[in-house]
Amino acid sequence: DAKTTQPDSMESTEGETVHLPCSHATISGNEYIYWYRQVPLQGPEYVTHGLQQNTTNSMAFLAIASDRKSSTLILTHVSLRDAAVYHCILRVAKPGTGSKLSFGKGAKLTVSP
Amino acid sequence: EAAVTQSPRSKVAVTGGKVTLSCHQTNNHDYMYWYRQDTGHGLRLIHYSYVADSTEKGDIPDGYKASRPSQENFSLILELASLSQTAVYFCASSEGAPAEVFFGKGTRLTVV
């Protein structure tokens, strides 16, 4: 799986919109972009995933560049509960295979009151 | 709500002893995984399974065995625990890719 690059940390304030960037310059055409987040003492939690089109759900908006070499996870109206380490992960989704994920250090999002 | 339950939640083991970590899922998922996380690092895949009675090696399988006796249960076995295996272990389950992966709350293992 191709490598991703994220900032080590980002800071925000409650109520703001946060843009978490992820660079994946060597992404291949069949690799999905996944985002997970993890808070201390808990297992990772799925946030969203996408292939080519932007996606949105109750947790976040995922903006994928037209060349797919970068993506941005957008969190609107962040709260203290959104403070976590956010992981951008690439994974080929082959039919009949599982979702073996490779986690890096991720980007630590700090949210201030 | 998908559920992955791990037991025990924490354990202290003696070097050279045998340790078994258990995982139970009620999601009816085919795939199950064991990861370890060291302080300040991301998760690394140890073993996984896509069907009962079969397991596959992940990225760091050395020193670990896995057992999948049923679709719901997946165990991680440390035959001879070592200090370097002190970590937090996470079990997870999923459908086939690109499905969401559901993680348990983790087991904190300390080997002394």
Side-chain angles (χ1 to χ4, degrees):
Chain A
D1 299 314
K3 181 180 177 180
T4 63
T5 302
Q6 299 177 252
D8 290 337
S9 62
M10 294 190 68
E11 297 182 352
S12 66
T13 304
E14 278 193 297
E16 289 184 340
T17 295
V18 176
H19 292 72
L20 298 172
C22 183
S23 173
H24 28 80
T26 60
I27 189 171
S28 60
N30 57 356
E31 284 186 303
Y32 281 77
I33 303 161
Y34 293 84
W35 284 83
Y36 281 77
R37 69 183 185 183
Q38 186 179 19
V39 298
L41 305 180
Q42 296 288 332
E45 177 187 28
Y46 169 85
V47 177
T48 189
H49 76 276
L51 183 62
Q52 287 185 316
Q53 304 299 318
N54 297 339
T55 63
T56 187
N57 62 21
S58 60
M59 295 182 72
F61 179 83
L62 176 60
I64 301 173
S66 57
D67 63 4
R68 299 204 335 120
K69 294 185 177 182
S70 66
S71 60
T72 303
L73 186 72
I74 301 170
L75 307 175
T76 58
H77 306 295
V78 295
S79 70
L80 297 177
R81 290 175 295 179
D82 292 314
V85 176
Y86 285 78
H87 296 272
C88 173
I89 301 167
L90 304 183
R91 180 66 192 165
V92 175
K94 297 178 184 177
T97 68
S99 293
K100 296 178 291 180
L101 303 173
S102 295
F103 288 81
K105 289 189 176 182
K108 184 177 182 179
L109 175 64
T110 301
V111 180
S112 302
Chain B
E1 177 74 13
V4 178
T5 305
Q6 296 182 229
S7 62
R9 292 297 313 281
S10 66
K11 183 174 181 63
V12 178
V14 177
T15 302
K18 181 177 181 178
V19 177
T20 300
L21 306 182
S22 299
C23 180
H24 178 80
Q25 56 112 347
T26 58
N27 307 324
N28 199 33
H29 288 161
D30 288 330
Y31 296 87
M32 296 188 73
Y33 317 82
W34 276 106
Y35 288 87
R36 70 174 276 174
Q37 185 172 33
D38 297 283
T39 303
H41 292 82
L43 281 70
R44 292 181 291 171
L45 181 64
I46 306 170
H47 285 288
Y48 66 100
S49 168
Y50 57 86
V51 68
D53 295 322
S54 177
T55 63
E56 305 292 332
K57 293 180 179 180
D59 299 323
I60 53 165
D62 292 345
Y64 302 93
K65 291 184 180 179
S67 174
R68 183 93 181 267
S70 65
Q71 186 192 40
E72 298 81 15
N73 296 294
F74 192 35
S75 297
L76 185 68
I77 303 154
L78 290 67
E79 294 280 2
L80 295 170
S82 67
L83 296 175
S84 65
Q85 293 177 312
T86 292
V88 179
Y89 292 84
F90 290 98
C91 177
S93 74
S94 78
E95 294 286 6
E100 172 182 355
V101 179
F102 294 88
F103 287 83
K105 294 182 181 298
T107 295
R108 181 173 295 276
L109 175 65
T110 303
V111 182
V112 297

